[in-house]
């Protein structure tokens, strides 16, 4: 049988007695907490509190970032040490730790670690759908996505001014999606979405989005095609009219302006009748007139012994 003999450490007992006599208790690990929030914006002033609950005064508190001393404060009572910082860049976010120690002792205790989160405002979200021309009764999806902004981001979908879904919160960089059924033209839109996060006044609205039913699209396409065909036929008709109507009319006007005003005599047969035309005389014509007068002298067969017939006057419309 082995007897257990208690071990007496005289030196340790003397040290505890000295510590108690001097009024200094054993240090506990201090706690490092933010005075307000770990969410910060650029150029914001923040405050960290460090305190060891079981420590007796005086206590020295030191703040570290990446094992580099930032600041040090002495407390003669049990109040926490407050460290004020300015977040001017991403490198100021942390991590931070604090150390508590008695002034006369080189030993100390370290706190938990803290890191700030830099808040960024959300960028304008984009509202989209895989199809913008669904068939009647088809189920469709709407996606809302903000490329930039601190997470989490809250998305809300609207039709007109009315919300059509509960807010959707995303904790990852991904789009919020809702499902719709397009049954009539009233379901075609206008749709929008809103994105916001914990950044102050960061709410942003997306672009507008409308669906177009496939039937309405086919009707509009038929109308456009019909109008195009009508326009094409008009162009073809105008092109065909140029050589048959426009050019002859132009030539006629040009001929009138360049025709001489003096008369002339012709000995050709004007028309085939039993009487031969000996000659025809055309009177001078003014350029602004559309008619000319000419006289035709007819003679019957001289061998028949008949006298000449009187002169016949005619008015003829000019055409080229």
């Amino acid at each position: 049988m082995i007897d257990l003999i208690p071990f007496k450490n005289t030196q340790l007992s003397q040290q505890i007695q000295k510590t108690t006599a001097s009024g200094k208790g054993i240090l506990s690990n201090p706690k490092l907490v933010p005075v307000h929030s770990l969410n910060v914006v650029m150029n914001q002033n923040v405050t960290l509190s460090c305190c060891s609950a079981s420590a007796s005064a005086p206590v020295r508190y030191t703040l570290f970032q990446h094992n580099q001393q930032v600041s040090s404060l002495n407390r003669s009572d049990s109040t926490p040490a407050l460290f004020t910082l300015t977040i001017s860049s991403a490198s100021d976010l942390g991590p931070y730790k604090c150390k508590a120690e008695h002034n006369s002792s080189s030993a100390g205790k370290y706190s938990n670690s803290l890191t700030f989160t830099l808040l960024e405002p959300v960028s304008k979200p984009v509202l989209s759908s895989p199809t913008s021309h669904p068939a009647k009764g088809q189920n469709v999806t709407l996606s809302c996505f903000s490329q930039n902004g601190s997470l989490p981001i809250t998305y809300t979908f609207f039709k007109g001014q009315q919300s059509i879904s509960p807010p959707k919160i995303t904790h990852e960089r991904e789009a919020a999606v809702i499902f719709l059924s397009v049954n009539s033209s009233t379901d075609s839109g206008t749709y929008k979405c809103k994105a916001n996060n914990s950044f102050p006044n960061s709410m942003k609205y997306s672009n507008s989005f409308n669906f177009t039913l496939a039937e309405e699209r086919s009707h509009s396409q038929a109308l456009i095609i019909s109008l195009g065909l009508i326009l094409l036929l008009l162009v073809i008709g105008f092109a065909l009219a140029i050589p048959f109507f426009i050019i002859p009319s132009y030539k006629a006007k040009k001929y009138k302006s360049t025709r001489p005003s003096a008369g002339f005599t012709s000995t050709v047969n004007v028309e085939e009748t039993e009487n031969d035309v000996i000659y025809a005389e055309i009177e001078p014509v003014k350029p602004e007139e559309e008619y000319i007068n000419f006289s035709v002298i007819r003679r019957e067969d001289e061998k028949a012994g008949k006298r000449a017939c009187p002169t016949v006057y005619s008015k003829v419309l000019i055409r080229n």
Side-chain angles (χ1 to χ4, degrees), residues 38 53 74 83 85 90 97 128 150 201 214 221-222 224 237 259 289 316:
L38 287 176
N74 292 323
F83 299 96
L85 309 169
K97 282 186 177 183
S128 61
S150 303
N201 302 319
Q221 286 180 339
I224 294 174
R259 186 174 60 248
E289 294 180 349
V316 180

Side-chain angles (χ1 to χ4, degrees), residues 9 17 109-110 203 211 319:
N9 192 331
Q17 291 175 358
K109 297 292 181 69
Y110 286 90
M203 183 174 57
F211 292 103
R319 285 290 184 269

Side-chain angles (χ1 to χ4, degrees), residues 53-257:
S54 62
S56 58
V59 180
R60 180 180 180 84
Y61 294 100
T62 305
L63 184 68
F64 295 89
Q65 181 189 12
H66 293 299
N67 298 321
Q68 298 293 324
Q69 182 175 330
V70 176
S71 181
S72 182
L73 293 174
N74 292 323
R75 284 290 178 264
S76 58
D77 52 23
S78 59
T79 59
L82 300 178
F83 299 96
T84 301
L85 309 169
T86 300
I87 307 300
S88 56
S89 66
S91 61
D92 298 327
L93 297 176
Y96 292 94
K97 282 186 177 183
C98 75
K99 178 183 178 182
E101 58 185 338
H102 290 296
N103 293 337
S104 60
S105 172
S106 59
K109 297 292 181 69
Y110 286 90
S111 71
N112 55 297
S113 177
L114 283 184
T115 301
F116 291 100
T117 299
L118 182 64
L119 297 181
E120 295 180 85
V122 293
S123 58
K124 181 178 179 179
V126 176
L127 184 65
S128 61
S129 176
T131 175
S132 58
H133 303 286
K136 187 176 181 180
Q138 180 179 345
N139 292 327
V140 295
T141 60
L142 275 176
S143 300
C144 185
F145 180 66
S146 184
Q147 182 69 38
N148 299 312
S150 303
L151 299 173
I153 298 177
T154 302
Y155 295 97
T156 309
F157 292 83
F158 297 88
K159 179 184 177 185
Q161 301 296 324
Q162 184 177 1
S163 173
I164 58 175
S165 71
K168 294 183 175 294
I169 302 175
T170 59
H171 295 271
E172 298 180 1
R173 191 68 62 186
E174 60 185 8
V177 180
I178 62 171
F179 298 90
L180 302 171
S181 180
V182 181
N183 297 311
S184 65
S185 58
T186 58
D187 298 325
S188 60
T190 302
Y191 294 94
K192 281 189 175 183
C193 70
K194 178 183 71 175
N196 66 287
N197 61 5
S198 54
F199 190 92
N201 302 319
S202 67
M203 183 174 57
K204 298 284 178 61
Y205 283 91
S206 72
N207 54 295
S208 299
F209 190 89
N210 291 77
F211 292 103
T212 302
L213 288 176
E215 296 176 359
E216 297 177 356
R217 185 187 181 193
S218 61
H219 292 163
S220 62
Q221 286 180 339
L223 179 61
I224 294 174
I225 293 174
S226 300
L227 292 176
L229 289 176
I230 292 173
L231 180 61
L232 179 61
L233 290 175
L234 290 175
V235 172
I236 293 175
F238 181 76
L240 293 176
I242 291 177
F244 292 99
F245 298 99
I246 299 177
I247 294 178
S249 176
Y250 172 76
K251 287 183 177 180
K253 292 181 181 179
K254 184 177 181 182
Y255 174 76
K256 285 170 54 180
S257 62

Side-chain angles (χ1 to χ4, degrees), residues 25-31 51-55 61 100-101 108-111:
I26 299 175
L27 286 171
S28 62
N29 291 91
K31 290 185 178 180
C51 182
S52 178
S54 62
Y61 294 100
E101 58 185 338
K109 297 292 181 69
Y110 286 90
S111 71

